[in-house]
Amino acid sequence: MGRSGLTRRRALVTAAMAAGVPGVLAGCTGPGTGGGGAARPSAAEAARRAELALLRRSAAVSGVLLAGYDEALAAHPAALGTRLAPLREAAARHVAALTPPGERAPATASTGARTGSPDPGAGSRAPGTGSPDGRTAGPDAGAGPPGAGTASGAGAAGVAASGASAGGAFPRGVPAEPGAALAELAALASRTAAAHTAALVGAPPESARLLASVAAAGAAQAYLLGEGGRG
């Protein structure tokens, strides 16, 4: 074979190799393949998932406060019903607003407490009949709070970390004295507002506005349950 034949063969081989290089490179450097594994989520998808997780945690935090209203209303329907009913409804709206679209709101308390059904015999309990320190057991005494084990982000885990995780809104049971129950609810509302405020850090704009609104409402509830509701 002459020199011209060898030159032509080399040219054909070189062209074939060049044509195959892009395919080889694409197989080696494709996004998130990891050698044949599942593709990594895009930045937008990762941000969406993070926002949904934030909303779920925040809904669970407000759910603890809602459970507190339910438990207090069940234990003291006559003494606290008028005062707590509107605050309880506001807390329920907060939970609904924070729950991601298409998902169910976190469970809060027993069905009887959610519907406002009085706790049979609650009004007739004497101090000391519910627990050694005079507390009455709430509907969810001994149960974990809504969303327990899911709050891993900043701020939204504040309520659970501050004591609600020990067993619902009233870990030791609802105080037998209505005034003491109000004081504990005020503290819980304050912690809830602080948790939502802390969760604002890094939250997307729309969720941040919602969290700020709910936090402000929680602070107002704490005031109304405490000094602001007296007199």
Side-chain angles (χ1 to χ4, degrees):
M1 180 179 294
R3 179 175 296 275
S4 60
L6 289 173
T7 301
R8 182 177 302 174
R9 175 177 291 182
R10 288 172 183 169
L12 291 173
V13 171
T14 301
M17 292 178 62
V21 167
V24 173
L25 292 178
C28 294
T29 61
T33 57
R40 300 189 190 94
S42 65
E45 176 64 16
R48 187 188 73 85
R49 293 181 183 179
E51 183 175 12
L52 290 176
L54 170 65
L55 291 174
R56 293 186 192 105
R57 292 193 300 268
S58 300
V61 167
S62 281
V64 176
L65 179 59
L66 177 57
Y69 286 127
D70 285 339
E71 294 178 21
L73 284 166
H76 303 291
L80 300 179
T82 301
R83 185 169 180 179
L84 294 186
L87 299 179
R88 189 265 178 207
E89 292 307 312
R93 289 194 295 271
H94 297 160
V95 173
L98 290 166
T99 301
E103 297 187 12
R104 295 183 62 182
T108 55
S110 66
T111 302
R114 280 198 302 271
T115 57
S117 302
D119 180 11
S124 61
R125 285 195 185 103
T129 59
S131 66
D133 63 353
R135 294 170 182 257
T136 60
D140 281 344
T150 63
S152 58
V159 172
S162 63
S165 60
F170 295 98
R172 299 171 58 200
V174 180
E177 292 297 326
L182 285 176
E184 291 198 19
L185 278 175
L188 179 58
S190 180
R191 294 196 300 270
T192 301
H196 289 318
T197 300
L200 287 169
V201 179
E206 185 175 353
S207 293
R209 287 191 292 270
L210 175 58
L211 286 167
S213 176
V214 174
Q221 290 193 15
Y223 174 76
L224 292 173
L225 289 163
E227 295 293 334
R230 298 176 184 174

